[in-house]
Amino acid sequence: MAIVVERERKYSGDEAFRLPDLTGCGGVTAMSDATALDLDAVYLDTTDLRLARSGFALRRRTGGHDAGWHLKVGAAGGPRTEYQFPAGPDDGDPPPELVALFRAASRGRPVAPAARIVTRRRERRLLDPAGRTLAEVAEDRVEAHDLVGGERQAWHEIEVELVDGDEALLDAVEGRLREAGARPVPVSKSHRALASRLAAARPAPADPGAAPVLDYAAAQRDALIGNHPGARSGDEDAVHDMRVAVRRLRSTLRTFRGLWDRRESELVRGELRWLGGQLGPVRDTQVMAARLADAVHAESDELVLGPVTARLAERFAADLATALDELRTALDSDRYAELLRRLDALLEGPRARAVDARWVARRVRRALRRADERLDRALAAGHRAGGTDIALHEARKAAKAARYAVEVREPAAGKPAARLVARLKDLQDLLGAHQDSTVTREVLRRQALRAYAAGENTFTYGVLHARQAAAADRELPDLLRARDRARRRKVRRWLTRAG
């Protein structure tokens, strides 16, 4: 299976449109002659078009230089990851490797032909002085057929896809195309072919009071699903983003719990906690491996005694392999698909009550009060008893919940909310650094015990442990300043404007 990152922009033009000369745009010195291609693609989806609604496109295409099965992930107009797999002559079903990647988007349901798109393409390469291909420009005559709804469409489309060029090139080419009469197209060919059915499948708008909460939660669900393919392969950014989406969903369902049936929302929260428990070991191992590798590298050679680097690398490689296997098993399970279906029902189905902006604002303020109280208790306990890691960890979780609650109001409140989010993030990061130090010290202690049992020198583990403890002590003044900055009246006074 090949994986490519596609960066392209799409435009439409009327019958009179002619592709202009693009030399001079972003380092382009020549355009190649046109190559003619005939492309025939059948797009597959669930009956309710969950793939398309989640930003996925699954197709089997003939013709062109990359014929076969393609799975595209991401919205048109931005970077899209494309997974390519060869297809046999009678291969009517997608290969299992691709099915595993879109299982979240399909909610585990089967896919079937949804649309057919036939494209007659004229493709040119944009070249720099050295003959490198900076981008490819395709003029497409498109004929689309919704295989379920029966609707047929035809249009003229221009695609500009980067090869060795950059965004500045895309901007320059766009300016030239606009001058020639082209207009940006914000959706893919498959979305355009299925536009009528996609509009019919769109959930009814939520009442204005609940909309900010539901929009925020839906965005986290979409982030969870969009990061599924990358997380399944162990991509660090995808695992991180998927885990954050899970946390935001759990927090939102708790902070605004009166919006949904309590029993069902708590069930979904519990299942999200399970999913987070599968993502956690993968991400924590990735972070800890990098953290300790950097810490060892920062020490002078005379303080690194024994095979410390090798032992840490061996341990984390084994731990990561085990955690990633368990994550894949979870993501391939019926339990995960059922979680997503229940989450859809919560976000798109009826609410337990009607709410207004004042109700949402009250719950945001309540989340902030809870975060303030937990931090105050943790700091008071630390002053009396030399610090309590558990209490500070609980304060960190409350600070995250408060930040996520404020994020719900950010689209409407604008800069004041964004400022408070930034202050809460600073506070959360410092609490997180303390927790990271606590966990790292425990990892080092256990690794030192392993080294001792193997007859190896444990000196370096002690040095690293002491440095982590010293760093945690140095962070307390910064933590107090971040707390005060997050509580300033001018940062929070906007919170009372919606009741």
Side-chain angles (χ1 to χ4, degrees), residues 3 53 74 79 207 236 253 306 345 351 374 385 387 401 420 426-427 432 463:
I3 303 174
R53 292 162 63 186
D207 59 86
E236 293 189 9
L253 291 176
R351 265 73 65 191
R374 288 197 178 180
L420 179 54
D426 290 342
L427 180 61
V463 170

Side-chain angles (χ1 to χ4, degrees), residues 84-157:
Q84 301 174 348
F85 203 88
D90 300 318
D91 189 0
D93 295 320
E97 293 89 341
L98 282 187
V99 174
L101 297 179
F102 66 73
R103 198 166 189 277
S106 70
R107 306 335 189 235
R109 295 190 174 104
V111 296
R116 182 185 179 193
I117 297 177
V118 176
T119 303
R120 290 173 174 80
R121 170 168 291 181
R122 288 173 55 83
E123 188 173 83
R124 290 178 172 86
R125 292 175 293 121
L126 304 184
L127 308 173
D128 71 0
R132 287 188 312 147
T133 300
L134 300 179
E136 294 177 342
V137 179
E139 292 183 274
D140 292 340
R141 297 287 177 179
V142 184
E143 296 178 2
H145 180 201
D146 183 333
L147 298 176
V148 176
E151 184 178 359
R152 294 180 181 272
Q153 303 178 61
W155 65 86
H156 182 202
E157 184 170 292

Side-chain angles (χ1 to χ4, degrees), residues 3 55 82 116 129-130 138 146 163 201 269 443 446 466:
I3 303 174
E82 182 174 304
R116 182 185 179 193
D146 183 333
V163 180
R269 282 191 73 241
V443 169
R446 292 183 180 180

Side-chain angles (χ1 to χ4, degrees), residues 221-234:
R221 175 201 58 189
D222 294 345
L224 189 159
I225 292 166
N227 281 290
H228 169 100
R232 197 178 181 283
S233 66

Side-chain angles (χ1 to χ4, degrees), residues 270-407:
E271 290 299 276
L272 287 167
R273 182 177 184 178
W274 162 77
L275 179 58
Q278 309 303 310
L279 292 159
V282 176
R283 183 58 184 157
D284 290 344
T285 302
Q286 292 169 336
V287 170
M288 188 60 67
R291 181 182 178 90
L292 286 179
D294 289 345
V296 175
H297 182 72
E299 296 294 340
S300 58
D301 291 344
E302 60 266 24
L303 295 182
V304 181
L305 306 181
V308 177
T309 300
R311 291 292 179 263
L312 289 172
E314 290 168 3
R315 173 188 171 171
F316 290 126
D319 289 351
L320 182 58
T322 299
L324 193 51
D325 282 344
E326 292 176 354
L327 175 60
R328 289 193 186 106
T329 298
L331 296 181
D332 292 344
S333 69
D334 292 338
R335 180 176 182 178
Y336 176 50
E338 177 63 17
L339 161 61
L340 294 174
R341 290 193 289 267
R342 286 182 175 272
L343 184 57
D344 288 338
L346 273 186
L347 302 185
E348 298 172 8
R351 265 73 65 191
R353 59 182 296 175
V355 302
D356 57 18
R358 289 177 298 176
W359 183 90
V360 172
R362 285 196 298 271
R363 273 140 189 83
V364 173
R365 292 196 296 268
R366 183 183 298 173
L368 280 164
R369 285 196 301 271
R370 186 185 302 115
D372 292 345
E373 291 166 0
R374 288 197 178 180
L375 180 57
D376 288 345
R377 286 200 299 268
L379 292 174
H383 178 73
R384 293 194 303 269
T388 166
D389 296 332
I390 294 176
L392 285 172
H393 183 47
E394 292 301 312
R396 178 198 184 194
K397 291 193 289 187
K400 282 184 180 180
R403 173 188 158 201
Y404 299 155
V406 175
E407 285 176 350

Side-chain angles (χ1 to χ4, degrees), residues 413-432:
K415 289 183 179 179
R419 187 179 301 114
L420 179 54
V421 166
R423 299 287 175 87
L424 291 170
K425 187 178 186 304
D426 290 342
L427 180 61
Q428 171 196 319
D429 287 347
L430 286 165
L431 289 167

